Amino acid sequence: MSVPLHHPVDLLRFNTCGSVDDGKSTLIGRLLYDSKSLMDDQVEALERSADLTGGGQINLANLTDGLRAEREQGITIDVAYRYFATPRRKFIIADTPGHVQYTRNMVTGASSANLSVVLVDARLGIIEQSRRHACIASLLRIPHLVVAVNKMDLVNYSEERFIEIRDQFEEFLPRLSLRDVKCIPVSALDGDNVVDPSKNMPWYSGPTLLSHLEDVHIGSDYNLKAFRLPVQWVNRPNNPSNPALHDFRGLSGQIAGGIIRVGQPVMVLPSGFSSVVKEILTPEGSVSEAFAPQSVTIVLEHDIDVSRGDMIVDPELLPGCSKELHAKICWLHPRPLECGKKFLLKHTTQTVQAAVTTIEHRINITNLNPENGVSELAMNDIGEVRIATSGPVVFDGYAANRLTGSFILIEPGTNTTVGAGMLFHPTEVARPEYKDFVI
Amino acid sequence: MSSYFLDHLQYLETEAIHVMREVAAEFERPALLFSGGKDSICLLRLAEKAFRPSEIPMPFLNIDTGHHFPELNEFRDRRAKELRGKLIVRTVEDALAKGIAVQAPGQVSRNHLQIPTLLAAIEEYRFDCCIGGARRDEEKARAKERFFSFRDSFGQWDPKNQRPEIWNLYNARINQGENMRVFPLSNWTEMDVWEYIRKENLEVPSIYFSHPRQCVRRLGQWLPVNDLVPPKPGEQVEELIVRVRTIGDIISTGCVESPAMSVDDIIAETSIARVTERGSRADDKASEAAMEDRKKAGYF
């Protein structure tokens, strides 16, 4: 048997959002079906359930609706993940449902995405729901957005209609902080412009959805400027068989930003101790440099006090460090957020106690305007808040770094994740006590 | 493309290592579920990489149904020894004898009996977290699984009430008696697993490669003939060149006809395969919600 040619393939994570009937599951089903990512037994299972419950009609949506209640009620309860590959790229789809809990689910599905696909029904155009999805993508700073104008078959594949919808969306764009937006006319039901170019829309010369997903440049989606390593685990071999390891003390974690090289000076925050990188271990072994988002273990020249929750940073590009935080927060729990209540705040690898001191306003997620005079945030609300923490948090603005600028809130007792936060840029950089302390 | 670029395997590796270290840091008594199957072989290599030069800071746990392929158990024991890890094996046999697990009359499969056996082992060792090799691409109900999957004090999974997982921030908090299952390979596909095995030059049990075996045709698949699966009257025993794609119990794991002798062959075969790997598992075909039901009850 011959071995397929293998060349470096990267990975694109995207999420799909749409409202209940605009054909989101059908679009995903089509993408999997036409890219030949579906297997015979999956098609067979589809046919089996078509015979039992679907009156003989194959329902591509059944591919993504995995739980019994979902199939019975024809809804999608939770975020489901799908995988497919082309020779160019591997893809992870977070399928986020469009019903009541949409904000919570979309935030979950989109938080780690490189790209969002917003589905728009060509008959309805840009509706409130579409604006909401674009606003959430913008708040989460998803680097790339695709507006898939679906059901083109139902508007006679009209170019005028497509341009009209594209213009509606572009009118709305200046409010958003989206860097890269692409509109594509498709028909998920028939497969037009999903994988194969449409014969029904010769006027459209742009890429199909799949070829756009294959081509979009994601190399610069991580922040490679300011070095940040949240210390996750201190690596100290227990009774090592190799005596050379007796004094080994490594600092393990996933690089959240920037590039690190052997010999480079670093600072540990919040303490402010300085040192120099002596050795870098990656999954590939000992290397001279490493970069975000690699998981590494770093050995420093000096034996200084570092533990989980500390952050090792570039001393030339310091982050913020504060016990008073300013953030946008998305509330995820049916019990509303009230000021003063205590939570646990998990940020990078540290967990501190926290309370929201002020809810400044709620953000209207169909136009991003502030709504004042709000005393609590209900589930699916996004608001701007001030938070006080029990210990200093070392952070960047979310706009600069999604990994060091984000946090979750956990309710003590139930241990439920109740909020997702995105921090504003620090108003001043860290000024640690021991900054001038040189060993 | 810049040189600061991770290919898909490097990305999946870095993500899995992050998840494993999070377990080591957040839990007091974690265990790593190791069966000797291809997914847990990857898991073990990732654990080596996550913690080296330290040794893997948690014991390995395997629930043996007594219906395992002998090749698998031999491999499991040898691999654990090579890594100087502590291997804990709890058997369904023993659980049945102690009355922890009860076999339904007429039931032959011991798949569901792994559940009480596993829960008893968790209780015995007071494990607060078990790392498993499950992947979301295996099955529809698994597609909704989290990296950190919370189980209540009865070991149950509640799919409608899962913790949202946002960015790379995992909520690992549990109360006394509760438990977490953690799946570092959540985002891996069958193909990724084989590509990783090739890249890392990992040894796998011989039954993944083609070998001659006596089989019978039953319910549309080839089952290996042995003491537990004797041919039924009228069934024709055939000697075929087969291999297994996924390893379950010897009584329910179908073999596929294949000439694949090497990892390269398997990768080539997987890339043109038209059936998912779980398509050869009778336990998942039982009903459309078979996996969902087992997971709710406390399955891996």
Side-chain angles (χ1 to χ4, degrees):
Chain A
M1 220 174 251
S2 70
V3 180
L5 282 173
H6 97 140
H7 37 84
V9 174
D10 62 354
L11 194 140
L12 178 94
R13 305 184 64 143
F14 69 99
N15 77 305
T16 50
C17 30
S19 34
V20 178
D21 284 320
D22 49 20
K24 183 168 49 69
S25 295
T26 313
L27 181 77
I28 294 174
R30 176 58 64 186
L31 215 43
L32 299 176
Y33 196 83
D34 286 3
S35 64
K36 305 195 168 49
S37 310
L38 281 185
M39 301 291 177
D40 289 347
D41 57 320
Q42 290 175 307
V43 174
E44 199 185 289
L46 272 185
E47 284 165 355
R48 211 163 45 220
S49 65
D51 289 341
L52 290 172
T53 52
Q57 186 80 26
I58 283 197
N59 185 356
L60 284 170
N62 267 358
L63 274 174
T64 55
D65 297 340
L67 301 173
R68 183 186 280 143
E70 297 174 305
R71 288 191 298 275
E72 285 166 3
Q73 297 164 34
I75 54 159
T76 313
I77 285 175
D78 209 315
V79 186
Y81 295 88
R82 299 286 146 190
Y83 302 82
F84 74 103
T86 68
R88 306 269 300 277
R89 232 175 212 169
K90 301 238 175 185
F91 299 94
I92 302 178
I93 314 175
D95 179 16
T96 44
H99 65 106
V100 274
Q101 292 195 358
Y102 56 86
T103 306
R104 170 193 151 120
N105 287 329
M106 184 173 161
V107 168
T108 305
S111 64
S112 51
N114 307 96
L115 179 146
S116 267
V117 178
V118 173
L119 262 104
V120 173
D121 186 324
R123 294 168 303 173
L124 306 175
I126 304 296
I127 55 171
E128 188 177 306
Q129 190 82 287
S130 332
R131 279 195 282 271
R132 185 174 290 153
H133 293 141
C135 283
I136 297 172
S138 164
L139 283 168
L140 286 167
R141 304 257 167 189
I142 297 169
H144 313 276
L145 187 85
V146 172
V147 180
V149 180
N150 191 24
K151 305 197 181 180
M152 286 301 292
D153 50 316
L154 299 180
V155 294
N156 296 316
Y157 306 103
S158 157
E159 182 178 14
E160 289 71 34
R161 182 63 185 146
F162 174 69
I163 291 171
E164 201 179 332
I165 292 170
R166 198 182 61 195
D167 290 347
Q168 278 175 10
F169 192 81
E170 279 174 1
E171 213 171 281
F172 179 60
L173 260 182
R175 297 175 189 226
L176 308 176
S177 37
L178 292 168
R179 281 189 278 150
D180 168 34
V181 179
K182 181 101 201 155
C183 290
I184 303 176
V186 301
S187 166
L189 198 63
D190 303 322
D192 293 76
N193 286 336
V194 177
V195 171
D196 301 315
S198 169
K199 292 192 181 69
N200 297 309
M201 291 176 269
W203 48 264
Y204 175 75
S205 56
T208 64
L209 176 59
L210 183 66
S211 65
H212 182 63
L213 294 175
E214 283 184 316
D215 285 340
V216 65
H217 176 69
I218 54 170
S220 50
D221 287 1
Y222 280 96
N223 177 331
L224 290 176
K225 287 190 208 97
F227 175 68
R228 305 285 185 254
L229 177 69
V231 176
Q232 197 182 6
W233 189 72
V234 179
N235 189 331
R236 307 202 64 168
N238 223 343
N239 303 317
S241 44
N242 176 359
L245 292 177
H246 270 292
D247 297 319
F248 184 89
R249 191 162 186 277
L251 305 165
S252 299
Q254 184 171 23
I255 299 177
I259 299 160
I260 187 71
R261 296 180 183 88
V262 170
Q264 187 175 314
V266 289
M267 182 181 283
V268 180
L269 289 174
S271 67
F273 291 133
S274 297
S275 188
V276 172
V277 175
K278 186 178 170 189
E279 195 185 1
I280 305 169
L281 300 170
T282 69
E284 254 107 55
S286 186
V287 296
S288 59
E289 67 173 5
F291 54 93
Q294 284 183 302
S295 283
V296 297
T297 298
I298 282 181
V299 182
L300 299 179
E301 288 284 358
H302 309 96
D303 192 12
I304 50 179
D305 178 19
V306 186
S307 54
R308 175 172 167 88
D310 289 345
M311 203 184 296
I312 303 175
V313 304
D314 179 347
E316 301 297 318
L317 292 165
L318 289 175
C321 179
S322 178
K323 287 161 77 173
E324 283 161 17
L325 306 174
H326 184 202
K328 287 175 189 156
I329 193 164
C330 173
W331 198 247
L332 308 170
H333 200 266
R335 255 192 308 285
L337 167 68
E338 292 163 29
C339 289
K341 201 180 157 190
K342 285 208 174 65
F343 295 101
L344 295 163
L345 182 150
K346 183 168 182 180
H347 168 266
T348 64
T349 56
Q350 78 163 336
T351 305
V352 293
Q353 288 197 65
V356 171
T357 49
T358 319
I359 298 174
E360 296 196 323
H361 55 256
R362 182 166 60 206
I363 296 165
N364 180 319
I365 49 170
T366 59
N367 55 25
L368 297 180
N369 290 338
E371 294 172 344
N372 296 310
V374 177
S375 62
E376 55 177 42
L377 293 179
M379 183 156 77
N380 295 313
D381 280 352
I382 297 179
E384 216 173 293
V385 299
R386 300 273 174 183
I387 296 172
T389 60
S390 59
V393 173
V394 180
F395 69 99
D396 292 291
Y398 182 78
N401 190 322
R402 281 163 98 180
L403 298 178
T404 53
S406 55
F407 63 85
I408 54 172
L409 288 182
I410 300 166
E411 186 179 59
T414 63
N415 294 327
T416 315
T417 304
V418 290
M422 292 159 277
L423 291 156
F424 282 89
H425 280 296
T427 48
E428 55 174 359
V429 297
R431 279 186 301 181
E433 219 174 315
Y434 304 109
K435 187 166 176 178
D436 303 318
F437 191 94
V438 180
I439 296 167
Chain B
M1 225 168 263
S2 75
S3 57
Y4 302 115
F5 158 85
L6 295 182
D7 69 27
H8 77 284
L9 281 184
Q10 291 170 322
Y11 176 87
L12 293 171
E13 181 181 59
T14 214
E15 176 184 69
I17 289 174
H18 173 74
V19 168
M20 289 213 172
R21 287 173 173 168
E22 212 51 15
V23 169
E26 293 251 12
F27 292 92
E28 275 171 35
R29 300 175 69 89
L32 192 149
L33 299 171
F34 178 59
S35 65
K38 64 181 191 312
D39 302 317
S40 65
I41 288 168
C42 290
L43 215 51
L44 223 54
R45 168 51 55 96
L46 291 161
E48 275 184 85
K49 289 190 169 200
F51 304 115
R52 73 184 174 200
S54 289
E55 278 163 17
I56 299 170
M58 55 191 89
F60 311 148
L61 173 66
N62 182 233
I63 303 304
D64 191 336
T65 58
H67 292 173
H68 279 181
F69 283 88
E71 295 91 335
L72 193 69
N73 283 0
E74 179 274 324
F75 180 84
R76 173 197 73 193
D77 296 347
R78 183 161 53 80
R79 200 65 196 109
K81 213 169 189 177
E82 282 167 10
L83 287 169
R84 310 201 308 143
K86 182 185 175 192
L87 174 68
I88 299 165
V89 177
R90 284 293 170 268
T91 65
V92 166
E93 209 73 57
D94 208 39
L96 283 169
K98 287 182 184 155
I100 294 166
V102 182
Q103 182 73 301
Q107 177 78 263
V108 188
S109 167
R110 288 180 165 181
N111 200 300
H112 64 290
L113 298 177
Q114 288 177 289
I115 300 169
T117 315
L118 171 68
L119 297 182
I122 288 173
E123 211 160 294
E124 178 186 351
Y125 287 94
R126 292 185 287 120
F127 290 131
D128 48 10
C129 175
C130 292
I131 298 180
R135 312 189 318 266
R136 287 177 183 146
D137 83 321
E138 281 179 87
E139 211 278 337
K140 282 205 284 193
R142 290 239 200 258
K144 312 239 152 169
E145 183 65 274
R146 301 288 196 258
F147 274 88
F148 281 62
S149 180
F150 173 74
R151 306 300 163 101
D152 65 16
S153 54
F154 295 96
Q156 296 183 106
W157 180 59
D158 179 2
K160 285 195 192 175
N161 198 18
Q162 300 194 75
R163 295 176 179 177
E165 262 173 14
I166 309 164
W167 300 292
N168 63 349
L169 296 170
Y170 302 104
N171 174 356
R173 300 188 75 86
I174 54 170
N175 292 323
Q176 190 94 37
E178 295 169 345
N179 205 269
M180 197 70 86
R181 305 286 166 81
V182 174
F183 304 112
L185 306 183
S186 287
N187 280 332
W188 296 48
T189 63
E190 182 186 13
M191 187 62 144
D192 298 328
V193 165
W194 282 113
E195 287 183 342
Y196 194 67
I197 286 169
R198 172 165 70 185
K199 180 182 169 191
E200 294 291 315
N201 205 10
L202 297 174
E203 190 190 344
V204 296
S206 57
I207 48 175
Y208 281 116
F209 301 114
S210 73
H211 55 280
R213 195 179 276 270
Q214 308 251 305
C215 296
V216 291
R217 193 81 184 156
R218 201 176 287 171
L219 295 171
Q221 51 178 335
W222 291 110
L223 285 185
V225 172
N226 53 61
D227 293 349
L228 294 161
V229 188
K232 290 179 183 168
E235 275 180 345
Q236 188 101 38
V237 178
E238 290 183 51
E239 180 157 303
L240 302 169
I241 301 295
V242 295
R243 64 180 201 88
V244 298
R245 268 179 87 185
T246 173
I247 304 180
D249 273 2
I250 203 159
I251 64 162
S252 60
T253 300
C255 298
V256 291
E257 290 192 78
S258 161
M261 303 285 281
S262 66
V263 174
D264 279 341
D265 291 348
I266 292 175
I267 288 172
E269 193 177 285
T270 308
S271 69
I272 54 164
R274 293 306 307 150
V275 178
T276 63
E277 59 174 304
R278 286 230 162 219
S280 58
R281 292 276 287 265
D283 43 342
D284 289 339
K285 282 198 168 169
S287 82
E288 204 172 355
M291 174 68 87
E292 183 183 343
D293 291 339
R294 274 182 290 149
K295 282 178 67 66
K296 278 182 182 166
Y299 193 63
F300 305 117

